[in-house]
Every structure is written in C-alpha cells, then in structure tokens.
Amino acid sequence: MTLERPKYVNYEKKDSIAIVTLNRPEKLNALSREVLIDLLETLESASKDPEVKVIVITGAGKAFCAGADVVEFTKSSTEIREFIDLGRRVFEFLESLEKPVIAAVHGFALGGGFELALACDLIIAAEGSQLGSPEINLGIIPGWGATQKLLITLGPYKARELIMLGDRISAEEALKLGVVNKVVPADKVVEEALLLAKKLAEKSPVALSAAKSVLNKSLRIMMSTGLEIERSTFIITTSTEDAKEGIKAFLEKRKPQWKGK
Ligand code: COA
C-alpha cells in the first residue's frame, strides 16, 4: 500500500502563489506531530520552488487551526520535548524562508494555531473568526512564541490579559489591537489573501526577501532571551499535575479540577 504524502496538508499553485491548506478538519486542523511534519515538508517545497513567489496558509473546514494537538501532551516527556522543538522548527522555518507568507484565518486561530498565524508575515482574518491563546485553560502556557510576540505587539497589559485569562478575541478586536492586518467577509478570506499575495508577487523578490529578513531578524534578536525563557517554562508546565488534569479534562469535555501542583 502506498501512503499519500503529505496526508494532512494540501498544496496548490495559482500562478506564482502557493496555497498551503492544513487538512485535518475533523480535529479543527490541530497540529499533531504528523501535521507539523507535513507542513514543514510542504513549506520546504514551496520555498525551493522557483515559480512560487508568495505563500498563503489556510485551513480546511470550519477553522484555521485550533492549536497544538493536546493528545501530544499526554505522551512521554521526551516525546513532548521533541514535539515542542518540531513546532519551533516549523515556525522558525516560516519566519526565515525568503518568500512572504500570508495567513488566511477563519473560524478559530487558537494556541499554536494563533502562533502559526503570528509566524506569518501578514494576517487576513475572516469576520467572526476568533483568535487567542487559551493554553491557561488547559493548565499550560503558550510555547511557540505567543508570549513574546504579544508582548511586543500589544504591550504587557493586553498581552497579560490574553495569556493569563485565555479569552478569545474577535477578528475585529484583533484588527484594532494591530495583531491582524485586515478583516474581510468570511467567504472572501482566501480570495483577499490571494489579492494581497498577487500585490506582493509584483514587487522585487530580492527587495521583499531583504525586507522580510530585516524585520524578522530584528524581531528575533528582540525576542531571543524571552523565547528561551518561554520554551523552558513551557516544557516545565507540560509536566505538572495541573497540565495533565487540564488536558484530560479537555479531552473528556469537562471542567478541570486544579490541584495547584
Ligand atoms: N487538540 C486536539 N483536538 C482538538 C483540539 C486541539 N487543540 N481542538 C479541537 N480538537 C478536537 C476536539 O477534541 C473535537 O474532537 P472530537 O470530535 O473527536 O471530540 C474536534 O476537534 C472538534 O472540536 P470541538 O471542541 O468539538 O468543536 P467546538 O466547535 O465545540 O469548539 C473550540 C471549538 C476551538 C472552541 C474547541 O475545540 C477548543 O477549545 N479547542 C482547543 C483550543 C486550545 O486550547 N488550543 C490550544 C491547545 S495547546
């Protein structure tokens, strides 16, 4: 039997634009280890393809992405660590690849799904979509950059609100806060992302890549210590009793009973 690869990501080219679609709709495109591997492989092909000038990332079904697959956090501590580092590799690849990447967000962009959007250069969001970092409700914290990016984009007070309360914000509020670029009708989100991609594709690829590199390298320098603190704290929080309870409660569709350890 030959397995079709990649299984969880669709890849399509429209002129000079690559459309990368997360394709695990039954789990709201939650990022399992396999999804991350497929995403990385797909992004690597798009990055190498000379015909591709701009990449658009979107999700199949009713959500962009509901975050890291929480089932990954029920595995051994070595597997959890490998999973966290795999996600980091994907997001760092996105930020360092030479072509601009646009996230076309609809439905939900939560947790690692929000961080996936935040690793893209521009974010177009559908009206009615919801974004946020709800990890606190699972007894963990964001681990793929949201603490640092929200701190820089929103300032400490709003960043604390998002990370410590874990409430979702609407696309419209995200636009006001400067964490998405444009909000468009839900049925137009990919179309609008493609229009934006087309505009970018008309620019000099050399200058575009230089602009992306300056912006992202500077951001990375600003965030580097914070990202390390985030990673090590995230790894610790995934092994607490509260994390185990929070994740179990989510999977059992009930309210968690925190133990404070
Ligand atoms: N990891 C694993 N599975 C997930 C998931 C995630 N992050 N997010 C959603 N799913 C699964 C659900 O368990 C459910 O699976 P099931 O049909 O086998 O029970 C399926 O995707 C559909 O999700 P459901 O919760 O039934 O949809 P909803 O419309 O009622 O709620 C959300 C949508 C996004 C509000 C809800 O799924 C949610 O809170 N997801 C988790 C978000 C999160 O905490 N992300 C950070 C993870 S670290």
Side-chain angles (χ1 to χ4, degrees), residues 26-28 30 62 66-70 73 108 110-111 134-135 138 140 168 250 253:
E26 69 287 0
K27 295 285 177 188
L28 309 185
K62 71 173 196 179
D69 186 330
V70 299
F73 299 125
F108 300 101
L110 300 175
E135 287 88 344
L138 300 171
I140 56 174
R168 306 196 282 262
F250 173 78
K253 301 186 191 289

Side-chain angles (χ1 to χ4, degrees), residues 146-165:
T147 63
Q148 302 311 298
K149 288 177 184 166
L150 295 180
L151 203 48
I152 288 175
T153 317
L154 310 179
Y157 292 92
K158 205 68 198 178
R160 284 189 194 111
E161 189 183 320
L162 259 72
I163 291 163
M164 295 171 75
L165 288 169

Side-chain angles (χ1 to χ4, degrees), residues 25-230:
E26 69 287 0
K27 295 285 177 188
L28 309 185
N29 300 319
L31 301 169
S32 62
R33 185 177 163 274
E34 289 75 17
V35 176
L36 286 174
I37 290 171
D38 285 356
L39 181 57
L40 187 57
E41 277 178 12
T42 309
L43 290 170
E44 279 167 352
S45 325
S47 152
K48 279 188 224 137
D49 186 335
E51 283 177 8
V52 171
K53 291 196 172 143
V54 184
I55 300 167
V56 170
I57 302 186
T58 181
K62 71 173 196 179
F64 174 71
C65 173
D69 186 330
V70 299
V71 173
E72 298 291 343
F73 299 125
T74 62
K75 298 185 178 170
S76 73
S77 52
T78 310
E79 285 169 305
I80 293 176
R81 197 176 292 237
E82 282 169 4
F83 173 69
I84 292 167
D85 288 341
L86 172 64
R88 249 166 88 104
R89 258 179 67 207
V90 176
F91 294 167
E92 280 175 14
F93 184 77
L94 261 176
E95 287 164 357
S96 62
L97 72 83
E98 290 182 346
K99 301 166 186 183
V101 186
I102 302 170
V105 167
H106 71 287
F108 300 101
L110 300 175
F114 189 25
E115 288 167 310
L116 174 61
L118 293 172
C120 298
D121 300 295
L122 297 162
I123 306 175
I124 303 285
E127 284 169 7
S129 56
Q130 296 185 1
L131 304 92
S133 297
E135 287 88 344
I136 196 86
N137 301 321
L138 300 171
I140 56 174
I141 63 163
W144 287 329
T147 63
Q148 302 311 298
K149 288 177 184 166
L150 295 180
L151 203 48
I152 288 175
T153 317
L154 310 179
Y157 292 92
K158 205 68 198 178
R160 284 189 194 111
E161 189 183 320
L162 259 72
I163 291 163
M164 295 171 75
L165 288 169
D167 290 341
R168 306 196 282 262
I169 57 168
S170 65
E172 292 73 14
E173 190 179 353
L175 180 66
K176 269 194 230 143
L177 292 170
V179 79
V180 306
N181 296 90
K182 195 173 180 184
V183 177
V184 300
D187 58 344
K188 297 264 184 302
V189 69
V190 173
E191 199 179 304
E192 284 282 340
L194 290 175
L195 280 175
L196 188 59
K198 227 173 138 193
K199 232 170 134 181
L200 286 166
E202 284 163 10
K203 312 283 179 200
S204 147
V206 194
L208 259 188
S209 140
K212 171 166 176 166
S213 162
V214 171
L215 291 164
N216 283 358
K217 278 185 187 154
S218 308
L219 257 179
R220 192 144 284 276
I221 291 167
M222 283 154 78
M223 298 188 303
S224 62
T225 308
L227 285 174
E228 283 315 312
I229 297 171
E230 182 195 75

